[in-house]
């Protein structure tokens, strides 16, 4: 079926291959609230603003209180430690002409931290692939 008198159809927009907060990338463009740029013209960097704290968990203290009268070895429960990650990762995209966009991605655990860095690495590979294709 064809349209005889219809307007020419616009091509479908390219799908986002990776998203990092409000930073999105297609095969040929980087899209941010600060602007849309050719992906070969942008640079991406990260700054890890997370910090790790360790503490004795509440269950270990409860176990010591419950079993201290039975076994002095219950004090070994105090050696148990838990780590918590908090903070954010700053992702900066620089476009041509000195324009930039900064996104702060909150991080609550190690899996989220690794995911953000993997997404940035993939975005950097898209940039490198497009620069190679264009011979830059």
């Amino acid at each position: 079926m064809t349209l005889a008198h219809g307007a020419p159809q616009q091509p479908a927009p390219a799908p986002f291959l990776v998203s990092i907060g409000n930073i999105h990338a297609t095969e040929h463009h980087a899209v941010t609230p600060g602007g849309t740029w050719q992906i070969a013209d942008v640079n991406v960097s990260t700054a890890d603003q997370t910090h790790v704290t360790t503490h004795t968990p509440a269950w270990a203290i409860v176990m010591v209180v419950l079993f201290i009268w039975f076994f002095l070895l219950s004090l070994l429960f105090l050696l148990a430690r838990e780590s918590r990650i908090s903070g954010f990762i700053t992702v900066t995209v620089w476009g041509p002409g000195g324009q930039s966009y900064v996104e702060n991605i909150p991080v609550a655990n190690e899996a989220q931290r690794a995911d953000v860095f993997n997404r940035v690495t993939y975005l950097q590979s898209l940039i490198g692939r497009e620069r190679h294709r264009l011979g830059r």
Side-chain angles (χ1 to χ4, degrees):
M1 180 173 153
T2 61
L3 297 174
H5 298 289
Q9 291 184 343
Q10 297 291 331
F16 292 139
L17 300 177
V18 65
S19 294
I20 309 164
N22 289 323
I23 302 168
H24 310 288
T26 67
E27 190 174 358
H28 302 291
H29 294 91
V31 180
T32 69
T36 300
W37 304 295
Q38 294 289 324
I39 200 162
D41 295 336
V42 300
N43 290 309
V44 179
S45 69
T46 59
D48 191 353
Q49 304 291 325
T50 60
H51 58 278
V52 179
T53 57
T54 58
H55 67 281
T56 303
W59 64 265
I61 295 170
V62 169
M63 296 300 281
V64 169
V65 170
L66 289 177
F67 294 112
I68 191 71
W69 306 115
F70 299 111
F71 307 104
L72 289 177
L73 291 176
S74 68
L75 294 175
L76 292 175
F77 282 117
L78 293 177
L79 296 176
R81 300 307 242 171
E82 286 183 349
S83 297
R84 291 184 183 163
I85 296 176
S86 60
F88 57 92
I89 297 173
T90 301
V91 180
T92 305
V93 177
W94 286 286
Q99 297 175 334
S100 65
Y101 178 75
V102 178
E103 179 78 20
N104 291 320
I105 310 294
V107 174
N109 58 45
E110 185 61 37
Q112 289 177 342
R113 185 175 178 269
D115 181 57
V116 171
F117 284 122
N118 287 337
R119 289 171 185 262
V120 170
T121 301
Y122 181 65
L123 177 57
Q124 289 171 335
S125 73
L126 289 174
I127 293 168
R129 187 178 319 145
E130 184 69 5
R131 287 179 181 171
H132 177 73
R133 187 183 72 82
L134 296 173
R136 292 186 187 174

